[in-house]
Amino acid sequence: MAHVTFSPPYIHPDQAAHQLRSQGYAVLSPADVAAWIGAAPGELQALAQDWSDLPPDEHLKDGGRYRRRRHSCFIEEGGRLQQVEHRAHWQPVEYNALHGGMLRMFAPMRDAVVAEPAWQKLLIALGQLSDQVFRAGGPPAAWFIEAHQFRIDTTHGIGRPTPEGAHRDGVDLVAVFLVGRKDVKGGETRVFEATGPQGLRFTLTEPWSLMLLDDARMIHETTPIQPLAEGGYRDTLVVTCRRENFQGAEFDTHAVS
């Protein structure tokens, strides 16, 4: 049976804030992502090289060996970006039934990646978009940003981008960038209203295409991937923006008060 995919519903970046407020989601093409953050497409592609050497995720409770990742945290406010001291990732069980309630310490992102101008521009753009969507008309807020580099591979068969299933993240803005995919099928993105019947499905296939979500309004998941050839994988960058503080700050001696 043929493998059917649905194209992403791309919009222009100028419409992103309005669509997030009205629909709860927005999807941007790679060229528009680069233009939106003020970077050349090649600058974004240069970041992608770092996904080839991510360490294994040692916290998978399903016993899988299909996920590799790095994680770092930042604060953006008024167009200024600051990386904070490395800290654990934490989510409540209400948002992550599989891994919630666990302080998960992952390897930090490499200094060379964080220092790239395109990286700085990307996070600042997401912080400024968060201001437009969640603080329209108000002064800029401090946005507590968590960045996750993921590689889901098919070395042992099926890889699961979202082993926790359909979920919310407990933040304000969720940004999912497809960094690359090779020799896999599946990996369909599914987005649903948290309190309504509406939903959509599509497959991100172009490097640096982007899905944006109002996390309070939308539930999301990505279907498992299967290999089409040996060595298949799917790489993503997931960035979340949250007001007030990082989740789990009460457990973290390095949290910002």
Side-chain angles (χ1 to χ4, degrees), residues 24-140:
Y25 70 90
V27 188
L28 306 184
S29 71
D32 282 340
V33 168
W36 173 53
I37 72 170
E43 292 182 83
L44 286 173
Q45 268 311 108
L47 295 177
Q49 299 175 20
D50 198 56
W51 268 254
S52 63
D53 191 30
L54 301 180
D57 182 341
E58 303 290 354
H59 298 282
L60 283 171
K61 291 179 70 175
D62 65 1
R65 303 294 299 173
Y66 51 80
R67 185 158 76 181
R68 296 175 173 272
R69 72 192 294 179
R70 290 183 183 273
H71 166 251
S72 286
C73 296
F74 307 82
I75 298 174
E76 190 279 336
E77 184 174 11
R80 297 181 301 275
L81 186 68
Q82 167 197 353
Q83 185 173 9
V84 303
E85 190 168 354
H86 194 51
R87 60 185 299 281
H89 176 54
W90 185 88
Q91 294 174 293
V93 293
E94 291 83 359
Y95 291 111
N96 190 326
L98 185 61
H99 297 114
M102 299 171 58
L103 283 170
R104 293 179 285 166
M105 184 69 79
F106 301 107
M109 295 182 63
R110 297 183 191 276
D111 291 342
V113 175
V114 172
E116 285 286 343
W119 179 256
Q120 307 281 318
K121 294 174 182 177
L122 189 154
L123 293 198
I124 289 171
L126 290 174
Q128 293 176 336
L129 177 64
S130 297
D131 278 329
Q132 294 175 42
V133 175
F134 302 105
R135 294 184 61 83

Side-chain angles (χ1 to χ4, degrees), residues 117-202:
W119 179 256
Q120 307 281 318
K121 294 174 182 177
L122 189 154
L123 293 198
I124 289 171
L126 290 174
Q128 293 176 336
L129 177 64
S130 297
D131 278 329
Q132 294 175 42
V133 175
F134 302 105
R135 294 184 61 83
W143 292 100
F144 295 81
I145 298 176
E146 296 196 51
H148 306 259
Q149 295 172 285
F150 289 105
R151 169 164 287 189
I152 307 299
D153 67 46
T154 57
T155 302
H156 303 289
I158 292 176
R160 294 176 173 83
T162 52
E164 65 273 38
H167 66 284
R168 291 163 52 211
D169 288 337
V171 297
D172 291 290
L173 183 75
V174 176
V176 181
F177 298 83
L178 179 77
V179 177
R181 56 182 286 157
K182 178 184 177 184
D183 293 332
V184 296
K185 63 180 179 179
E188 179 181 82
T189 297
R190 297 179 178 178
V191 181
F192 313 92
E193 290 180 339
T195 59
Q198 300 301 315
L200 71 157
R201 51 193 290 204
F202 55 87

